[in-house]
Amino acid sequence: MKWLTSRNVFPLAVITLIISLCLQCAWIRQLYLAQKQDIKTKLESIVSNASKQIVYRSVSRGRERSSRFKQFFLSSEWFALRQAFDGLKLDNLHSQFHYGIDNDSTVVEMRMSFLNDPKKHFKISSSAKTDNMSPRQVSSDDQKDLKSLDSLVNRQLQQFDIRIHRNYALYDYSSGNLIKPVPVAKNKLSFVSECYTYNLKFLHRYQLVVGNIFWVVIFQMRYYLISSFMMLVLTAAAFYLLIRLMKNQQLYAQAKIAFTSNMTHELQTPISTISVALESIKKYHLIDQPEKLENYLNISVHELQRLQAMIEKVLKQEQMDLGETKLQFSLIDVQPILQQVIHAMEVQVQEKNAFITFLPTAEPLFIKGDAMHISNVFYNLIDNALKYSPVHAKIEVSCSIADRQLTISFKDNGPGINEIYQQQVFERFFRIFNQDNIHNVKGSGLGLHYVKQVIALHDGHVELYSKDGKGCTFMVILPLYEEN
Ligand SMILES: Nc1ncnc2c1ncn2[C@@H]1O[C@H](COP(=O)(O)OP(=O)(O)O)[C@@H](O)[C@H]1O
Ligand SMILES: [Mg+2]
């Protein structure tokens, strides 16, 4: 899959994320509409059920009734019939309702009459006969039943865990006129139920009104919303990690190729020097000229040693990566080791016309460590500072103590390391390529990786502070030795 490079994967990931975001939005919208409808249906059934219950309670109040009586007044057919009867409001239609209960039987009458001549008008459109009851008693019964209905609606809402701000409107039963409006503008209402009677005195009809059910629906959908948000976040995180991994692998592959060509070049130089020397000895019979022979042999030995050192370095790194390196820990004073390394590098320093300052502390700085590896770390860091800085480089090595930690800093005024590479320079084989993609300075890309590993084995860490063009400061932080 040649097209699957990190350059193509990024737009692919973005497109996939946008598409899944759109799909999620469409799905959530559908779900929102369905849930909203569901809540409306639930509200309607709560009010109708409450009305059925209250009518039954008002009819049977104070009387022990037969099961047939209960069956009739709580049946859905009776409820539907009554709703239809109450809702039938036509011009000229006079409807009258009457019920009578005695010991033997219960009589329910629904009477509708209208004149065939449409020009003549009835005054009253609908009414209920309320046997021998005074208007006052009818009104007080009505108030009582209204209260019962409203509190039953409230209870059922709580039962279904629907937390809404609700209100009710009242309509006159006969004329159908609104007599108790709600204090909310009509266009701000999310739900308006049908009108229901709540007793058989037929004074008023009840209507449940809800202002805003948006947050109720959102609350009902909370688990869907959270899971869909989590899914998006997880997908984005997976893509991010995948792209990062791919980028790292590409960098690693590039670095490996660079390392191989670098190493081949480095190995080839001593081999060709030795073969030229041996060929010259043979061609010019240098056995007869012991002075020249010795010189050529010395060059060959020196080159062979260099070759051996290089191979050893790679092998040692391999061992360290496999965790096979065993460190020889002992109590060591860091400053004399630093002094020795700086002293050993004097020739290189002079060659580059560089200048090293060492700022030691007055007291000795003891750590538990492997002297050989620690001195290699110092060597690598000073070598880098020298190699990558231009001539007349100024290098400052200093030690300090804070919080039982020892900090050794190596500061140079070289080209610095761009922020984007500051993590990667510690990776195996990683080298920064200059603009022409050719490294001017020889190296393997193993030095800082080695430094990081050795310091980690000493329970310390390395920090890098640098800005492009403004030099580098590498800080080696190690725990100080403490006598228990
Ligand atoms: N002091 C420094 N100044 C500028 N760049 C540096 C410095 N030290 C390290 N680098 C960059 O970090 C890379 C990795 O360093 P290192 O692991 O020591 O490998 P090498 O020196 O073999 O290339 C180097 O190739 C170089 O680009
Ligand atoms: Mg190096």
Side-chain angles (χ1 to χ4, degrees), residues 384-385 387-388 412 416-417 425 430-432 439 443-445 447-448 472:
N384 277 352
K387 269 201 309 194
Y388 299 108
D412 65 53
I417 296 175
V425 286
F430 190 86
R431 307 195 75 212
I432 302 168
H439 225 286
S444 56
L448 289 178
C472 289

Side-chain angles (χ1 to χ4, degrees), residues 83-326:
Q83 268 303 101
F85 178 79
D86 293 343
L88 201 62
K89 300 262 186 280
L90 290 179
D91 272 355
N92 278 328
L93 179 76
H94 181 179
S95 50
Q96 196 177 49
F97 186 92
H98 171 249
Y99 77 97
I101 303 170
D102 61 33
N103 290 336
D104 297 334
S105 60
T106 298
V107 178
V108 176
E109 277 177 11
M110 283 175 172
R111 190 164 163 266
M112 284 175 268
S113 54
F114 52 90
L115 290 178
N116 293 334
D117 184 354
K119 280 168 201 148
K120 294 193 177 167
H121 285 273
F122 271 127
K123 237 175 145 188
I124 305 162
S125 54
S126 51
S127 66
K129 256 201 206 166
T130 45
D131 305 323
N132 311 328
M133 277 175 104
S134 68
R136 220 160 161 221
Q137 202 174 352
V138 170
S139 168
S140 118
D141 272 8
D142 185 86
Q143 282 303 312
K144 229 189 279 170
D145 291 334
L146 176 63
K147 257 192 197 156
S148 311
L149 173 73
D150 202 44
S151 64
L152 185 60
V153 167
N154 212 9
R155 243 180 296 141
Q156 293 208 346
L157 285 175
Q158 278 170 10
Q159 246 174 33
F160 282 107
D161 200 22
I162 303 177
R163 294 166 211 180
I164 43 167
H165 212 70
R166 74 198 174 83
N167 214 321
Y168 67 85
L170 276 186
Y171 291 84
D172 182 72
Y173 179 80
S174 309
S175 63
N177 290 338
L178 182 66
I179 54 164
K180 181 199 164 288
V182 283
V184 186
K186 228 181 176 175
N187 54 1
K188 285 189 183 157
L189 296 178
S190 290
F191 172 78
V192 176
S193 77
E194 285 190 29
C195 296
Y196 294 93
T197 45
Y198 45 88
N199 59 19
L200 297 183
K201 315 285 183 317
F202 300 123
L203 263 191
H204 301 125
R205 296 177 85 197
Y206 174 97
Q207 185 180 51
L208 181 72
V209 170
V210 177
N212 194 345
I213 58 170
F214 176 77
W215 290 112
V216 180
V217 182
I218 295 293
F219 183 72
Q220 299 259 334
M221 287 168 59
R222 62 195 181 280
Y223 296 118
Y224 298 108
L225 288 174
I226 291 170
S227 57
S228 112
F229 176 73
M230 292 284 283
M231 216 183 89
L232 276 178
V233 170
L234 285 179
T235 319
F239 273 126
Y240 171 74
L241 290 177
L242 216 75
I243 290 172
R244 239 184 72 163
L245 193 78
M246 273 184 79
K247 274 208 164 142
N248 275 351
Q249 275 189 345
Q250 267 180 4
L251 271 175
Y252 184 67
Q254 272 175 9
K256 227 175 159 179
I257 293 168
F259 170 75
T260 315
S261 64
N262 225 323
M263 254 351 221
T264 319
H265 178 77
E266 294 274 300
L267 295 176
Q268 231 161 19
T269 324
I271 291 172
S272 43
T273 315
I274 295 166
S275 61
V276 168
L278 291 179
E279 256 173 46
S280 308
I281 292 170
K282 203 175 156 197
K283 200 171 164 188
Y284 302 113
H285 289 280
L286 293 186
I287 297 183
D288 305 334
Q289 302 172 43
E291 244 176 60
K292 271 195 178 173
L293 178 67
E294 194 175 342
N295 188 22
Y296 275 49
L297 284 177
N298 278 346
I299 291 174
S300 299
V301 168
H302 179 253
E303 288 298 293
L304 269 173
Q305 278 170 348
R306 211 157 69 87
L307 199 62
Q308 202 175 3
M310 248 184 300
I311 292 168
E312 234 164 58
K313 188 176 168 188
V314 177
L315 286 179
K316 267 191 188 149
Q317 185 58 53
E318 204 66 36
Q319 274 179 350
M320 189 162 274
D321 281 338
L322 291 170
E324 289 170 0
T325 313
K326 291 264 177 299

Side-chain angles (χ1 to χ4, degrees), residues 417 421-423 425-426 448 462-466 472-475:
I417 296 175
Y421 298 125
Q422 286 182 12
Q423 299 260 330
V425 286
F426 292 100
L448 289 178
V462 187
E463 286 174 11
L464 165 58
Y465 299 93
S466 178
C472 289
T473 305
F474 282 91
M475 285 189 176

Side-chain angles (χ1 to χ4, degrees), residues 362-406:
E363 70 272 36
L365 302 171
F366 284 108
I367 61 162
K368 263 242 154 162
D370 183 317
M372 195 263 286
H373 283 285
I374 288 288
S375 86
N376 284 349
V377 164
F378 297 158
Y379 175 83
N380 266 302
L381 291 173
I382 300 175
D383 180 52
N384 277 352
L386 267 178
K387 269 201 309 194
Y388 299 108
S389 305
V391 278
H392 303 301
K394 281 200 178 91
I395 301 165
E396 193 183 289
V397 181
S398 59
C399 299
S400 61
I401 303 175
D403 289 340
R404 298 195 206 114
Q405 304 257 44
L406 158 65

